[in-house]
Amino acid sequence: MAEKNYYIDASNMDFETACGHARNTIAEAMKILQLEPASMLYLSICEMVPINDKDVTVRLATVNAGGQIQLQWNPYFICRLNDPSELAFIFFGESLRIALHHATHRRGLPAAPHKFASDLI
């Protein structure tokens, strides 16, 4: 059976169309993450928000001074992935950031070394 390639050249698509294609990859990534119930628990408290910012891939952001957590994703980035397992790996890493309260409690300056430390953890 041939494997499905999820890569789509979305560079010429409008934002909403790219979001539609990206949601298919997100759904497949979430199926993979069902094998990690703790990860799914942390991701379930996030609001999944598409963002049209060329500098964003996938990131956590907080709303209302550390309240609600958003998992922001760029559909153009997700459409460039070849396999949903790549996105599942990224989402798993972001779920660890939530578990460690990095999304809501990290206010250290300068930000770059603190983000690097978070990546290492």
Side-chain angles (χ1 to χ4, degrees):
M1 180 168 84
E3 289 186 32
K4 181 177 178 182
N5 186 356
Y6 285 80
Y7 175 86
I8 296 172
D9 182 8
S11 59
N12 295 324
M13 292 181 189
D14 65 87
F15 183 71
E16 290 303 317
T17 303
C19 285
H21 288 291
R23 283 187 176 94
N24 294 333
T25 304
I26 290 171
E28 292 301 314
M30 290 302 200
K31 288 178 187 176
I32 294 167
L33 284 173
Q34 288 177 354
L35 300 172
E36 294 291 339
S39 177
M40 291 297 290
L41 174 68
Y42 289 114
L43 291 174
S44 71
I45 65 173
C46 293
E47 178 185 12
M48 303 282 281
V49 179
I51 187 165
N52 192 1
D53 182 340
K54 65 178 180 66
D55 295 327
V56 172
T57 55
V58 174
R59 71 178 178 195
L60 291 173
T62 55
V63 180
N64 300 328
Q68 181 182 5
I69 302 171
Q70 290 183 341
L71 181 71
Q72 298 176 343
W73 49 274
N74 183 325
Y76 299 105
F77 165 74
I78 291 176
C79 286
R80 288 192 306 259
L81 299 176
N82 292 319
D83 191 278
S85 63
E86 295 171 331
L87 185 59
F89 182 79
I90 293 168
F91 282 175
F92 181 76
E94 296 303 319
S95 74
L96 293 178
R97 290 183 199 275
I98 297 168
L100 295 169
H101 297 283
H102 290 188
T104 57
H105 292 88
R106 185 181 48 183
R107 292 182 179 84
L109 292 175
H114 286 81
K115 182 183 181 307
F116 180 69
S118 174
D119 290 342
L120 292 177
I121 291 171

